Amino acid sequence: MSEMTAEGGHGAVPLSGVPVQPEPTVSRRDWPLYEVFVRGKRGLNHVHVGSLHAPDAEMAVHAARDLYTRRNEGVSIWVVRSADVTASSPDEKDPMFAPSGDKVYRHPTFYDIPDDVPHI
Amino acid sequence: MSIASPPVPAPAADPGTTPDIEALQRHFDDTIAAEHRIEPRDWMPDGYRRTLVRQIAQHAHSEIIGMQPEGDWLLSAPSLRRKAILLAKVQDEAGHGLYLYSAAETLGADRADLTDKLIEGRQKYSSIFNYPTLSYADVGVIGWLVDGAAICNQVPLCRSSYGPYARAMIRICKEESFHQRQGYELLLTMMRGTDEQRAMVQDAVDRWWWPSLMMFGPPDAESPNTAQSMAWGIKRHTNDELRQRYVDMTVPQAEFLGVTLPDPELSLDPETGRHRFGAIDWSELKRVISGEGAMNRLRLARRRAARDDNAWVTEAATAYAEKHAAEKRA
Ligand SMILES: [Fe+2]
Ligand SMILES: [Fe+2]
């Protein structure tokens, strides 16, 4: 009997002999992946909440409503195809964000103002 | 490159140079040590990725299969109120599965492929769902004990080192609280009812107590992988720690309810304030998880039927999308 542990929420499952590499399968649907963004309430930004597969954007919005807003979590949903997202690379971490790192004068705390100046 | 695509396996190095794996490993170790989160596009060791895919996939499968034991009572709910509650709960479990498949996909897994691996029996789901639900009291006891044990397991996972998993767990934990409370309230209602109803509750507790303790997995001494998972920050407490916490939380709830937990050795240790409990029959867990539970075959057969018999729905949706795309182009 292979080793088991309480991996995940609902309890003990086996650890060995469990394949984890993706393989081509009969049920693969080739529906694109959409990233889902929800505006929690008016006045807030849309925030990324997860992803789902759907045959098109319209059905992605409907599926996102059922999946991510079952308890009034949102007043507006955006979906965008994951493939259309352009992201910075984690390897660019230093060069990408360095230009803002040394510009301390962009922060209000950079400036010394005497304590007795009101409302500033 | 999409934000959900699998992380770059090697660093972006100048062409012709080899990636500095040691530096990447150090950066990964430092991130974990600082209790920062690993995100999908970060470099991560292969073992970390494989462990996470296995853990998240089998967690997702447990949520999806977990719809069935209670789903069996949807059409026999005793009132419209109970039916609406149970429907919402079962629907939540589907949602939990989908949040988790979404997290697994950020590691390069494919959810249709994971479903196939479940149906073929190559990936597993929690043994707890291989027990039958014999009466409506089981619905209450599952909410109270099974979701209660899941909460013990899941709350620490909200601090998992893998960002998408931790975020999915936060969302799930919020919903689990409703699951446990609706179950306990159902049981309180039955306990205030007739002798027959009280006997149904006791019978359900007798059947589910020990399996709920087994949900936490074998004793620590027999869980050699726990150390690595804890070092990686994807498991936060050992099986025995979580089980003890669960027993300590549950005993007073049982007393309030007026049911007897079926363990003559259960007693409060006045020195530690913790409960001692009897030996768990691990051979039962092994039997049930390897396919000899009462319901294993039925659970998988139904999941297979859901995939195959409903294939026409996905085909129709695809056709609809294609038709509309063509109309837009015209
Ligand atoms: Fe769940
Ligand atoms: Fe639940």
Short mmCIF file of all heavy atoms in Angstrom, two decimals, chain B residues 18-65:
data_model
loop_
_atom_site.label_atom_id
_atom_site.label_comp_id
_atom_site.label_asym_id
_atom_site.label_seq_id
_atom_site.Cartn_x
_atom_site.Cartn_y
_atom_site.Cartn_z
N THR B 18 24.43 28.47 -19.85
CA THR B 18 23.54 27.54 -19.15
C THR B 18 22.93 28.27 -17.95
O THR B 18 23.57 29.12 -17.34
CB THR B 18 24.33 26.31 -18.64
OG1 THR B 18 25.52 26.77 -18.02
CG2 THR B 18 24.66 25.38 -19.79
N PRO B 19 21.66 27.93 -17.64
CA PRO B 19 21.01 28.60 -16.52
C PRO B 19 21.69 28.27 -15.20
O PRO B 19 22.17 27.16 -15.01
CB PRO B 19 19.59 28.04 -16.56
CG PRO B 19 19.69 26.78 -17.35
CD PRO B 19 20.81 26.96 -18.31
N ASP B 20 21.71 29.23 -14.33
CA ASP B 20 22.35 29.05 -13.04
C ASP B 20 21.32 28.48 -12.06
O ASP B 20 20.66 29.21 -11.34
CB ASP B 20 22.90 30.39 -12.55
CG ASP B 20 23.67 30.23 -11.25
OD1 ASP B 20 23.68 29.10 -10.71
OD2 ASP B 20 24.25 31.22 -10.78
N ILE B 21 21.17 27.15 -12.08
CA ILE B 21 20.14 26.49 -11.29
C ILE B 21 20.35 26.75 -9.80
O ILE B 21 19.40 26.92 -9.04
CB ILE B 21 20.12 24.96 -11.56
CG1 ILE B 21 19.74 24.69 -13.03
CG2 ILE B 21 19.16 24.24 -10.64
CD1 ILE B 21 18.32 25.03 -13.38
N GLU B 22 21.61 26.77 -9.41
CA GLU B 22 21.88 26.98 -7.98
C GLU B 22 21.37 28.33 -7.50
O GLU B 22 20.79 28.44 -6.42
CB GLU B 22 23.38 26.89 -7.71
CG GLU B 22 23.80 25.51 -7.20
CD GLU B 22 25.31 25.38 -7.15
OE1 GLU B 22 25.96 26.28 -6.59
OE2 GLU B 22 25.81 24.38 -7.70
N ALA B 23 21.56 29.35 -8.34
CA ALA B 23 21.09 30.69 -7.97
C ALA B 23 19.57 30.70 -7.90
O ALA B 23 18.97 31.30 -7.00
CB ALA B 23 21.59 31.72 -8.97
N LEU B 24 18.94 30.01 -8.84
CA LEU B 24 17.48 29.95 -8.86
C LEU B 24 16.96 29.23 -7.61
O LEU B 24 15.99 29.65 -6.99
CB LEU B 24 17.00 29.22 -10.11
CG LEU B 24 17.20 29.99 -11.41
CD1 LEU B 24 16.98 29.08 -12.61
CD2 LEU B 24 16.25 31.17 -11.47
N GLN B 25 17.62 28.11 -7.29
CA GLN B 25 17.22 27.34 -6.11
C GLN B 25 17.36 28.21 -4.85
O GLN B 25 16.49 28.20 -3.98
CB GLN B 25 18.10 26.08 -5.99
CG GLN B 25 17.82 25.24 -4.75
CD GLN B 25 16.55 24.41 -4.88
OE1 GLN B 25 16.34 23.73 -5.88
NE2 GLN B 25 15.67 24.47 -3.88
N ARG B 26 18.44 28.98 -4.80
CA ARG B 26 18.66 29.84 -3.64
C ARG B 26 17.55 30.88 -3.53
O ARG B 26 17.01 31.14 -2.47
CB ARG B 26 20.03 30.51 -3.73
CG ARG B 26 20.86 30.28 -2.46
CD ARG B 26 22.22 30.95 -2.54
NE ARG B 26 22.46 31.49 -3.85
CZ ARG B 26 23.45 31.16 -4.69
NH1 ARG B 26 24.29 30.36 -4.38
NH2 ARG B 26 23.62 31.68 -5.88
N HIS B 27 17.22 31.45 -4.67
CA HIS B 27 16.16 32.47 -4.68
C HIS B 27 14.84 31.86 -4.23
O HIS B 27 14.08 32.45 -3.44
CB HIS B 27 16.03 33.07 -6.08
CG HIS B 27 15.04 34.19 -6.15
ND1 HIS B 27 13.77 34.04 -6.67
CD2 HIS B 27 15.12 35.47 -5.72
CE1 HIS B 27 13.12 35.19 -6.57
NE2 HIS B 27 13.91 36.08 -6.00
N PHE B 28 14.57 30.65 -4.69
CA PHE B 28 13.35 29.93 -4.29
C PHE B 28 13.36 29.67 -2.78
O PHE B 28 12.39 29.96 -2.07
CB PHE B 28 13.27 28.61 -5.07
CG PHE B 28 12.17 27.68 -4.62
CD1 PHE B 28 10.88 27.83 -5.12
CD2 PHE B 28 12.42 26.66 -3.71
CE1 PHE B 28 9.85 26.98 -4.71
CE2 PHE B 28 11.40 25.81 -3.29
CZ PHE B 28 10.12 25.97 -3.79
N ASP B 29 14.48 29.15 -2.28
CA ASP B 29 14.58 28.84 -0.85
C ASP B 29 14.40 30.10 0.00
O ASP B 29 13.73 30.07 1.04
CB ASP B 29 15.95 28.20 -0.53
CG ASP B 29 16.07 26.81 -1.14
OD1 ASP B 29 15.04 26.22 -1.50
OD2 ASP B 29 17.22 26.33 -1.29
N ASP B 30 15.00 31.20 -0.46
CA ASP B 30 14.89 32.46 0.29
C ASP B 30 13.44 32.94 0.32
O ASP B 30 12.96 33.45 1.33
CB ASP B 30 15.77 33.54 -0.34
CG ASP B 30 17.26 33.23 -0.18
OD1 ASP B 30 17.57 32.32 0.63
OD2 ASP B 30 18.08 33.87 -0.85
N THR B 31 12.75 32.78 -0.82
CA THR B 31 11.35 33.21 -0.89
C THR B 31 10.51 32.42 0.11
O THR B 31 9.69 32.98 0.85
CB THR B 31 10.80 33.00 -2.31
OG1 THR B 31 11.67 33.66 -3.23
CG2 THR B 31 9.40 33.57 -2.46
N ILE B 32 10.73 31.11 0.16
CA ILE B 32 10.00 30.26 1.10
C ILE B 32 10.34 30.64 2.54
O ILE B 32 9.47 30.77 3.39
CB ILE B 32 10.34 28.76 0.87
CG1 ILE B 32 9.96 28.34 -0.55
CG2 ILE B 32 9.70 27.87 1.93
CD1 ILE B 32 8.60 27.80 -0.75
N ALA B 33 11.64 30.82 2.79
CA ALA B 33 12.08 31.12 4.16
C ALA B 33 11.50 32.44 4.64
O ALA B 33 11.19 32.60 5.82
CB ALA B 33 13.60 31.15 4.22
N ALA B 34 11.33 33.39 3.72
CA ALA B 34 10.79 34.70 4.09
C ALA B 34 9.27 34.67 4.19
O ALA B 34 8.65 35.72 4.41
CB ALA B 34 11.24 35.75 3.07
N GLU B 35 8.67 33.47 4.00
CA GLU B 35 7.21 33.33 4.02
C GLU B 35 6.56 34.16 2.92
O GLU B 35 5.41 34.60 3.05
CB GLU B 35 6.62 33.73 5.39
CG GLU B 35 6.93 32.73 6.50
CD GLU B 35 5.95 31.55 6.53
OE1 GLU B 35 4.77 31.74 6.20
OE2 GLU B 35 6.38 30.43 6.87
N HIS B 36 7.30 34.41 1.84
CA HIS B 36 6.68 35.02 0.67
C HIS B 36 6.07 33.92 -0.18
O HIS B 36 6.37 32.75 0.01
CB HIS B 36 7.72 35.82 -0.13
CG HIS B 36 8.18 37.04 0.59
ND1 HIS B 36 9.33 37.72 0.25
CD2 HIS B 36 7.65 37.71 1.65
CE1 HIS B 36 9.49 38.76 1.07
NE2 HIS B 36 8.49 38.77 1.93
N ARG B 37 5.24 34.30 -1.11
CA ARG B 37 4.56 33.31 -1.94
C ARG B 37 5.33 33.05 -3.24
O ARG B 37 5.89 33.97 -3.83
CB ARG B 37 3.15 33.79 -2.29
CG ARG B 37 2.27 34.01 -1.08
CD ARG B 37 1.86 32.69 -0.45
NE ARG B 37 1.06 32.89 0.76
CZ ARG B 37 1.56 32.84 1.99
NH1 ARG B 37 2.82 32.55 2.20
NH2 ARG B 37 0.76 33.03 3.03
N ILE B 38 5.28 31.78 -3.65
CA ILE B 38 5.77 31.42 -4.98
C ILE B 38 4.61 31.66 -5.96
O ILE B 38 3.48 31.26 -5.67
CB ILE B 38 6.20 29.94 -5.02
CG1 ILE B 38 7.25 29.64 -3.95
CG2 ILE B 38 6.69 29.55 -6.41
CD1 ILE B 38 8.56 30.35 -4.13
N GLU B 39 4.89 32.32 -7.07
CA GLU B 39 3.84 32.58 -8.05
C GLU B 39 4.11 31.80 -9.34
O GLU B 39 5.24 31.38 -9.58
CB GLU B 39 3.73 34.09 -8.31
CG GLU B 39 3.24 34.89 -7.09
CD GLU B 39 1.79 34.58 -6.67
OE1 GLU B 39 1.04 33.99 -7.47
OE2 GLU B 39 1.43 34.92 -5.52
N PRO B 40 3.06 31.63 -10.16
CA PRO B 40 3.16 30.70 -11.29
C PRO B 40 4.39 30.85 -12.18
O PRO B 40 4.95 29.86 -12.61
CB PRO B 40 1.89 30.98 -12.10
CG PRO B 40 0.91 31.46 -11.09
CD PRO B 40 1.71 32.19 -10.05
N ARG B 41 4.82 32.07 -12.46
CA ARG B 41 5.90 32.19 -13.42
C ARG B 41 7.27 32.13 -12.77
O ARG B 41 8.29 32.25 -13.46
CB ARG B 41 5.72 33.48 -14.22
CG ARG B 41 4.37 33.52 -14.92
CD ARG B 41 4.28 34.65 -15.92
NE ARG B 41 5.21 34.44 -17.01
CZ ARG B 41 5.92 35.41 -17.59
NH1 ARG B 41 5.80 36.63 -17.16
NH2 ARG B 41 6.73 35.14 -18.58
N ASP B 42 7.33 31.96 -11.46
CA ASP B 42 8.63 31.81 -10.80
C ASP B 42 9.25 30.45 -11.12
O ASP B 42 8.54 29.47 -11.32
CB ASP B 42 8.46 31.89 -9.27
CG ASP B 42 8.07 33.28 -8.81
OD1 ASP B 42 8.39 34.25 -9.53
OD2 ASP B 42 7.43 33.40 -7.75
N TRP B 43 10.56 30.42 -11.10
CA TRP B 43 11.24 29.12 -11.17
C TRP B 43 10.92 28.35 -9.90
O TRP B 43 10.83 28.94 -8.81
CB TRP B 43 12.76 29.32 -11.29
CG TRP B 43 13.49 28.00 -11.38
CD1 TRP B 43 13.78 27.31 -12.52
CD2 TRP B 43 13.98 27.22 -10.29
NE1 TRP B 43 14.42 26.14 -12.20
CE2 TRP B 43 14.56 26.05 -10.84
CE3 TRP B 43 13.98 27.37 -8.90
CZ2 TRP B 43 15.15 25.05 -10.06
CZ3 TRP B 43 14.56 26.36 -8.11
CH2 TRP B 43 15.14 25.23 -8.69
N MET B 44 10.71 27.05 -10.02
CA MET B 44 10.51 26.22 -8.82
C MET B 44 11.11 24.85 -9.07
O MET B 44 11.17 24.39 -10.21
CB MET B 44 9.02 26.13 -8.47
CG MET B 44 8.15 25.50 -9.53
SD MET B 44 6.38 25.66 -9.16
CE MET B 44 6.03 27.29 -9.84
N PRO B 45 11.54 24.17 -8.01
CA PRO B 45 12.11 22.83 -8.20
C PRO B 45 11.04 21.88 -8.73
O PRO B 45 9.86 22.03 -8.42
CB PRO B 45 12.54 22.39 -6.79
CG PRO B 45 12.46 23.60 -5.94
CD PRO B 45 11.54 24.57 -6.59
N ASP B 46 11.48 20.94 -9.52
CA ASP B 46 10.55 20.02 -10.14
C ASP B 46 9.71 19.25 -9.12
O ASP B 46 8.52 19.04 -9.31
CB ASP B 46 11.34 19.03 -11.02
CG ASP B 46 10.48 18.54 -12.16
OD1 ASP B 46 9.73 19.37 -12.72
OD2 ASP B 46 10.53 17.34 -12.45
N GLY B 47 10.36 18.86 -8.01
CA GLY B 47 9.63 18.10 -6.98
C GLY B 47 8.51 18.93 -6.35
O GLY B 47 7.43 18.42 -6.05
N TYR B 48 8.76 20.22 -6.18
CA TYR B 48 7.76 21.12 -5.63
C TYR B 48 6.57 21.19 -6.57
O TYR B 48 5.42 21.06 -6.16
CB TYR B 48 8.41 22.50 -5.46
CG TYR B 48 7.51 23.61 -4.93
CD1 TYR B 48 7.27 23.75 -3.56
CD2 TYR B 48 6.95 24.54 -5.79
CE1 TYR B 48 6.49 24.79 -3.07
CE2 TYR B 48 6.16 25.58 -5.31
CZ TYR B 48 5.93 25.71 -3.95
OH TYR B 48 5.15 26.73 -3.47
N ARG B 49 6.86 21.36 -7.86
CA ARG B 49 5.78 21.44 -8.84
C ARG B 49 4.99 20.13 -8.88
O ARG B 49 3.76 20.14 -8.86
CB ARG B 49 6.35 21.74 -10.23
CG ARG B 49 5.27 21.85 -11.32
CD ARG B 49 5.86 21.80 -12.72
NE ARG B 49 6.92 22.76 -12.87
CZ ARG B 49 6.72 24.04 -13.17
NH1 ARG B 49 5.51 24.46 -13.37
NH2 ARG B 49 7.74 24.85 -13.27
N ARG B 50 5.68 19.01 -8.89
CA ARG B 50 4.98 17.72 -9.00
C ARG B 50 4.12 17.46 -7.76
O ARG B 50 3.01 16.98 -7.85
CB ARG B 50 6.00 16.59 -9.21
CG ARG B 50 6.31 16.39 -10.69
CD ARG B 50 7.17 15.16 -10.93
NE ARG B 50 8.57 15.46 -10.63
CZ ARG B 50 9.29 14.86 -9.68
NH1 ARG B 50 8.74 13.91 -8.95
NH2 ARG B 50 10.53 15.21 -9.47
N THR B 51 4.69 17.79 -6.59
CA THR B 51 3.93 17.58 -5.35
C THR B 51 2.67 18.45 -5.35
O THR B 51 1.59 18.01 -4.96
CB THR B 51 4.81 17.91 -4.13
OG1 THR B 51 5.95 17.06 -4.17
CG2 THR B 51 4.06 17.66 -2.83
N LEU B 52 2.82 19.68 -5.80
CA LEU B 52 1.66 20.57 -5.83
C LEU B 52 0.59 20.11 -6.80
O LEU B 52 -0.60 20.14 -6.49
CB LEU B 52 2.10 21.99 -6.19
CG LEU B 52 2.60 22.86 -5.05
CD1 LEU B 52 3.21 24.14 -5.61
CD2 LEU B 52 1.46 23.21 -4.08
N VAL B 53 1.02 19.68 -7.98
CA VAL B 53 0.03 19.21 -8.96
C VAL B 53 -0.74 18.03 -8.37
O VAL B 53 -1.98 17.99 -8.42
CB VAL B 53 0.69 18.79 -10.30
CG1 VAL B 53 -0.32 18.09 -11.21
CG2 VAL B 53 1.26 20.02 -11.02
N ARG B 54 -0.02 17.10 -7.75
CA ARG B 54 -0.68 15.93 -7.15
C ARG B 54 -1.64 16.38 -6.05
O ARG B 54 -2.79 15.95 -5.99
CB ARG B 54 0.39 14.99 -6.58
CG ARG B 54 -0.19 13.71 -5.99
CD ARG B 54 0.90 12.91 -5.31
NE ARG B 54 1.39 13.61 -4.12
CZ ARG B 54 2.65 13.56 -3.68
NH1 ARG B 54 3.55 12.87 -4.33
NH2 ARG B 54 2.99 14.22 -2.59
N GLN B 55 -1.14 17.24 -5.18
CA GLN B 55 -1.96 17.66 -4.04
C GLN B 55 -3.19 18.44 -4.50
O GLN B 55 -4.31 18.16 -4.07
CB GLN B 55 -1.11 18.53 -3.10
CG GLN B 55 -1.94 19.17 -1.98
CD GLN B 55 -1.08 19.72 -0.86
OE1 GLN B 55 0.09 19.39 -0.74
NE2 GLN B 55 -1.67 20.55 -0.02
N ILE B 56 -3.00 19.40 -5.39
CA ILE B 56 -4.12 20.24 -5.80
C ILE B 56 -5.11 19.43 -6.64
O ILE B 56 -6.32 19.56 -6.48
CB ILE B 56 -3.62 21.49 -6.55
CG1 ILE B 56 -2.72 22.33 -5.63
CG2 ILE B 56 -4.78 22.32 -7.07
CD1 ILE B 56 -2.03 23.50 -6.32
N ALA B 57 -4.59 18.56 -7.50
CA ALA B 57 -5.48 17.76 -8.35
C ALA B 57 -6.33 16.82 -7.49
O ALA B 57 -7.56 16.74 -7.66
CB ALA B 57 -4.67 16.95 -9.37
N GLN B 58 -5.69 16.14 -6.54
CA GLN B 58 -6.46 15.17 -5.74
C GLN B 58 -7.39 15.89 -4.76
O GLN B 58 -8.45 15.38 -4.41
CB GLN B 58 -5.51 14.18 -5.05
CG GLN B 58 -4.72 13.37 -6.09
CD GLN B 58 -4.05 12.11 -5.55
OE1 GLN B 58 -4.28 11.04 -6.08
NE2 GLN B 58 -3.25 12.22 -4.51
N HIS B 59 -7.02 17.09 -4.38
CA HIS B 59 -7.92 17.91 -3.58
C HIS B 59 -9.14 18.29 -4.43
O HIS B 59 -10.29 18.16 -4.00
CB HIS B 59 -7.17 19.15 -3.09
CG HIS B 59 -7.92 19.98 -2.10
ND1 HIS B 59 -7.35 21.03 -1.42
CD2 HIS B 59 -9.21 19.95 -1.67
CE1 HIS B 59 -8.24 21.59 -0.62
NE2 HIS B 59 -9.38 20.96 -0.76
N ALA B 60 -8.87 18.72 -5.67
CA ALA B 60 -9.98 19.09 -6.57
C ALA B 60 -10.90 17.89 -6.81
O ALA B 60 -12.13 18.01 -6.74
CB ALA B 60 -9.42 19.60 -7.90
N HIS B 61 -10.30 16.72 -7.07
CA HIS B 61 -11.12 15.53 -7.31
C HIS B 61 -12.02 15.24 -6.10
O HIS B 61 -13.17 14.83 -6.25
CB HIS B 61 -10.24 14.30 -7.54
CG HIS B 61 -9.35 14.40 -8.76
ND1 HIS B 61 -9.66 15.16 -9.86
CD2 HIS B 61 -8.14 13.82 -9.03
CE1 HIS B 61 -8.68 15.05 -10.77
NE2 HIS B 61 -7.75 14.25 -10.28
N SER B 62 -11.47 15.45 -4.89
CA SER B 62 -12.25 15.17 -3.68
C SER B 62 -13.46 16.10 -3.61
O SER B 62 -14.55 15.68 -3.19
CB SER B 62 -11.38 15.36 -2.44
OG SER B 62 -10.25 14.50 -2.49
N GLU B 63 -13.28 17.35 -4.00
CA GLU B 63 -14.41 18.29 -3.99
C GLU B 63 -15.48 17.83 -4.98
O GLU B 63 -16.69 17.84 -4.66
CB GLU B 63 -13.94 19.70 -4.37
CG GLU B 63 -12.84 20.28 -3.50
CD GLU B 63 -13.33 20.77 -2.14
OE1 GLU B 63 -14.54 20.75 -1.89
OE2 GLU B 63 -12.48 21.16 -1.33
N ILE B 64 -15.04 17.43 -6.16
CA ILE B 64 -16.00 17.06 -7.22
C ILE B 64 -16.73 15.76 -6.85
O ILE B 64 -17.96 15.67 -6.93
CB ILE B 64 -15.26 16.91 -8.57
CG1 ILE B 64 -14.69 18.28 -9.01
CG2 ILE B 64 -16.19 16.33 -9.64
CD1 ILE B 64 -15.73 19.35 -9.31
N ILE B 65 -15.98 14.74 -6.44
CA ILE B 65 -16.63 13.48 -6.04
C ILE B 65 -17.46 13.72 -4.78
O ILE B 65 -18.51 13.10 -4.58
CB ILE B 65 -15.57 12.37 -5.80
CG1 ILE B 65 -14.83 12.05 -7.09
CG2 ILE B 65 -16.24 11.12 -5.23
CD1 ILE B 65 -15.64 11.38 -8.17
#
